[in-house]
Amino acid sequence: MHMSARIFLTFLCLALLLPVVWCVQAAEVRITSDPADQTSPAIWMDKIVWTDARNKNLDVYMFDTTTGNETRITKGPKDRKSPAIWENTIAAVDLTYGSPDIYIYNLVTRSGRQIITAATNQKFPRISGNYVAWETSRNGDNDIAVYNISDFREVRLPAAGTGSRRSPALWNDRMVYADTSSGTSTIHLYDFTTKEDTRLTNDTSSQFNPWLYEDLVVWQDNRNGNDDIYMYNITSGVEKRITTDPADQRNPRIWGDRIVWEDYRNGNPDIYMYTISTGKEEDLTSDPAIQRSPAIWGDKIVWEDHRNGNADIYMYQAETPAGSSSAPGAAGNQPEPTPMPLPGVLPLIAAAILLISVRRR
């Protein structure tokens, strides 16, 4: 074989093998590299959104893990932050008019609008299906507001008790939240279809920061003298303690067979993961810097990471997809979450080219 042809084949083999090498090492992937802070990530399938400070004010950015494209979603001199995403809709806090309002952006039409403007504080938006929920202080205490995107109206919730309602989380037509009406913070479930509100926890200690996936609810629980992660199955009515370490575990998120959270057993917060079917707990981050604010969809876990001197967004790619292939109540069946590319056929192609090269010398 001519020398130039052999050189070309060698480079071709390297080009084919590089993606394989990258994928083998891609359990943990750095998503952002700008020296400004990128914080508060959220994820829906292959789309990651976060708050970004690279333009002096705060904007919402998005990264597509399938295409590798990063997109600036919001532009303007005022802050937009704390995004949440579901399908083609992003919800965020908007400070265009001074006080924090709630803003939604459509990825298909590439247009956005405010769905609430008020002189009081609106924060921590969540979105699932047709619903957007957030914390509001417009009634003089912390409460929850909900907006239906499909019919452009705010959803009327049952009257709050003597305490506050906060930390809403959504899954299609259900919402969980923390309620302090009983004197301590307890976890409640509200069904938008039946309009039923159900108290899920009865322990006299406080439970905070719930999250919801289908029939499974997780939260941060202080009953053991530190913050632990607990889980409740809505269908069976069974409650389960997930973490037992004496340090604090906070801000859980759940998707399918996996629960992730911030874990303080090593001093600074790290990201841990628990697999429900196996009972296996593992530390996803080994760097001694701060890792916090996890979010999960399928086999992708994202978080805010401070190892580079600023806050970046990192992603962990789990070994196999978790959970079911559809989200009940969403628009159509959703495909199984796709792992980062691992083209197993490429090594075979590369080996074949090398073999041909050697035989023709």
Side-chain angles (χ1 to χ4, degrees), residues 167-188:
S167 303
L170 299 166
W171 187 266
N172 290 303
D173 59 352
R174 286 171 166 172
M175 176 178 70
V176 289
Y177 62 94
D179 188 295
T180 64
S181 298
S182 63
T184 60
S185 181
T186 59
I187 305 304
H188 283 238

Side-chain angles (χ1 to χ4, degrees), residues 7-227:
I7 293 173
F8 170 76
L9 287 173
T10 301
F11 276 106
L12 179 60
C13 291
L14 289 173
L16 291 170
L17 286 170
L18 277 175
V20 179
V21 174
W22 179 84
C23 289
V24 169
Q25 298 176 341
E28 184 181 78
V29 180
R30 184 179 179 182
I31 299 298
T32 63
S33 58
D34 190 273
D37 285 336
Q38 290 87 41
T39 59
S40 306
I43 184 170
W44 189 86
M45 293 192 72
D46 56 355
K47 296 179 177 64
I48 305 168
V49 293
W50 64 87
T51 303
D52 200 300
R54 72 183 70 179
N55 304 303
K56 296 184 179 179
N57 64 299
L58 300 179
D59 290 304
V60 175
Y61 274 68
M62 182 180 74
F63 181 83
D64 190 312
T65 62
T66 300
T67 65
N69 292 331
E70 181 184 85
T71 306
R72 182 180 178 182
I73 299 298
T74 62
K75 299 177 181 179
K78 301 296 185 179
D79 289 346
R80 286 171 176 159
K81 61 181 183 178
S82 305
I85 183 170
W86 185 273
E87 293 185 337
N88 291 311
T89 304
I90 298 171
V93 174
D94 186 348
L95 281 86
T96 298
Y97 298 109
S99 62
D101 299 315
I102 302 300
Y103 170 89
I104 60 172
Y105 181 89
N106 188 293
L107 293 172
V108 176
T109 63
R110 298 182 182 179
S111 61
R113 61 186 176 90
Q114 289 183 329
I115 59 174
I116 183 70
T117 58
T120 52
N121 193 19
Q122 325 294 322
K123 57 185 179 180
F124 307 133
R126 312 297 187 204
I127 183 170
S128 180
N130 291 322
Y131 296 100
V132 181
W134 63 90
E135 286 188 21
T136 178
S137 60
R138 63 186 173 187
N139 296 322
D141 201 350
N142 283 337
D143 202 359
I144 294 170
V146 180
Y147 183 87
N148 190 321
I149 301 172
S150 64
D151 59 11
F152 309 102
R153 64 178 179 86
E154 190 169 332
V155 177
R156 184 179 296 275
L157 297 176
T162 57
S164 63
R165 296 184 291 197
R166 59 181 66 191
S167 303
L170 299 166
W171 187 266
N172 290 303
D173 59 352
R174 286 171 166 172
M175 176 178 70
V176 289
Y177 62 94
D179 188 295
T180 64
S181 298
S182 63
T184 60
S185 181
T186 59
I187 305 304
H188 283 238
L189 169 72
Y190 183 76
D191 190 306
F192 295 115
T193 302
T194 65
K195 296 180 172 52
E196 293 182 358
D197 188 277
T198 306
R199 179 173 170 175
L200 301 183
T201 60
N202 293 293
D203 193 89
T204 56
S205 64
S206 290
Q207 295 90 39
F208 306 95
N209 297 329
W211 206 258
L212 176 65
Y213 171 84
E214 294 188 349
D215 286 339
L216 300 178
V217 183
V218 293
W219 65 86
Q220 174 182 327
D221 197 302
N222 194 247
R223 73 183 68 179
N224 304 303
N226 64 299
D227 290 331

Side-chain angles (χ1 to χ4, degrees), residues 259-328:
I259 305 169
V260 295
W261 65 85
E262 293 175 11
D263 199 298
Y264 288 77
R265 71 185 69 182
N266 302 313
N268 284 335
D270 295 309
I271 306 303
Y272 273 65
M273 179 175 73
Y274 178 88
T275 303
I276 299 170
S277 60
T278 64
K280 179 183 178 182
E281 179 187 271
E282 55 185 307
D283 184 356
L284 302 185
T285 56
S286 57
D287 191 274
I290 292 172
Q291 290 92 31
R292 62 188 179 194
S293 302
I296 180 171
W297 186 280
D299 52 350
K300 299 179 179 68
I301 300 98
V302 295
W303 65 88
E304 174 187 322
D305 197 301
H306 291 250
R307 71 184 69 181
N308 303 305
N310 66 301
D312 288 308
I313 306 302
Y314 273 68
M315 181 179 75
Y316 178 87
Q317 180 73 29
E319 294 180 358
T320 55
S324 61
S325 60
S326 64

